[in-house]
Amino acid sequence: SYVLTQPPSVSVAPGQTATITCGGNNIGSRRVHWYRQRPGQAPVLVVDHDSERPSGIPERFSGSNSGSTATLTITRVEAGDEADYFCQVWDSSSRHIVFGGGSKLTVL
Amino acid sequence: QVQLVESGGGVVQPGRSLRLSCAGSGFNFSDHTIHWVRQPPGKGLEWVAFISYDGGLEDFAESLRGRLTVSRDNSKNMVYLQMNSLRSEDTAVYYCARDGDTGYYVFDHWGRGTLVTVSS
């Protein structure tokens, strides 16, 4: 089955840029979605279809996807961005919906 | 606004069954595929199942196929997940999520989840 690999943790100082990666075999040929999950809360979609931003999500959140890596970038990081972030794809060849293991973003 | 509310969770003994419900409001419910996603305590997200907008198509995670049934009643804006032969490893928060229906299975709105604990 298709596997998505994320770093377990990412740390960044306030005001800096956080980069969270999501690796997968030829992931660039798939559409990647990203979710933020704050402690005790449900996930929230923050980037869809590689780089689209849903209504209400700040411009500080952006995404890209090419080759074997998709990336979620958060600029001007704030304390409120501290959360778990999950990538997700639909693998059409296996018809599986797959999540990455999640990355915990810590704001120092 | 779009709202999804899960119910039906609780403590259940191994081997027993449980039916979860998902109530939708604030959108045209019958236009959207609905998914179930679960999250064991302290762990990541796992897709469980989906049912298409009209109930004509459904699918399940391979590891769970055979123990689950999903159904919907669009007249009541409800989706149901029937789970049988429950095991301790089924302990998790179960979320229902609306599909954005773009063809790429994106979960654009989520409920708050309902906790299922399988324990004797």
Side-chain angles (χ1 to χ4, degrees):
Chain A
S1 62
Y2 194 72
V3 176
L4 296 175
T5 301
Q6 296 183 238
S9 62
V10 174
S11 298
V12 64
Q16 298 303 303
T17 297
T19 300
I20 301 173
T21 58
C22 177
N25 183 31
N26 197 27
I27 195 173
S29 67
R30 295 162 173 83
R31 292 296 172 262
V32 180
H33 316 301
W34 291 91
Y35 304 89
R36 175 187 66 205
Q37 186 179 34
R38 292 175 171 142
Q41 296 187 18
V44 171
L45 180 66
V46 293
V47 168
D48 63 86
H49 299 87
D50 296 340
S51 59
E52 299 298 315
R53 210 171 33 252
S55 171
I57 300 301
E59 291 182 6
R60 301 184 298 106
F61 287 79
S62 63
S64 63
N65 184 19
S66 179
S68 61
T69 305
T71 303
L72 174 69
T73 302
I74 310 171
T75 59
R76 302 185 302 282
V77 166
E78 305 170 355
D81 297 329
E82 193 162 275
D84 293 323
Y85 290 83
F86 296 90
C87 58
Q88 175 249 318
V89 301
W90 176 54
D91 179 38
S92 58
S93 58
S94 63
R95 303 194 65 78
H96 290 167
I97 296 171
V98 181
F99 285 96
S103 298
K104 181 176 180 60
L105 176 65
T106 299
V107 182
L108 300 171
Chain B
Q1 73 281 19
V2 175
Q3 198 167 15
L4 296 163
V5 179
E6 303 89 342
S7 61
V11 180
V12 59
Q13 293 179 329
R16 304 298 289 262
S17 298
L18 199 64
R19 189 178 84 156
L20 305 182
S21 301
C22 171
S25 61
F27 65 102
N28 197 341
F29 190 81
S30 60
D31 281 350
H32 287 270
T33 294
I34 300 293
H35 296 261
W36 289 95
V37 177
R38 72 181 182 180
Q39 185 171 35
K43 296 190 177 181
L45 301 171
E46 179 187 17
W47 174 77
V48 171
F50 80 74
I51 186 165
S52 64
Y53 69 100
D54 62 352
L57 182 64
E58 58 194 45
D59 200 5
F60 303 93
E62 281 189 16
S63 62
L64 298 170
R65 196 167 284 141
R67 296 198 293 126
L68 302 182
T69 303
V70 62
S71 60
R72 67 190 294 160
D73 184 344
N74 283 341
S75 69
K76 297 181 179 179
N77 286 5
M78 297 290 294
V79 167
Y80 306 98
L81 181 69
Q82 175 75 34
M83 303 187 295
N84 302 320
S85 304
L86 284 162
R87 307 165 181 169
S88 59
E89 53 265 36
D90 295 319
T91 294
V93 174
Y94 285 74
Y95 297 99
C96 65
R98 190 184 83 164
D99 194 306
D101 286 300
T102 63
Y104 289 100
Y105 295 106
V106 56
F107 310 124
D108 65 357
H109 288 87
W110 298 64
R112 293 187 176 185
T114 187
L115 176 62
V116 173
T117 302
V118 183
S119 173
S120 54

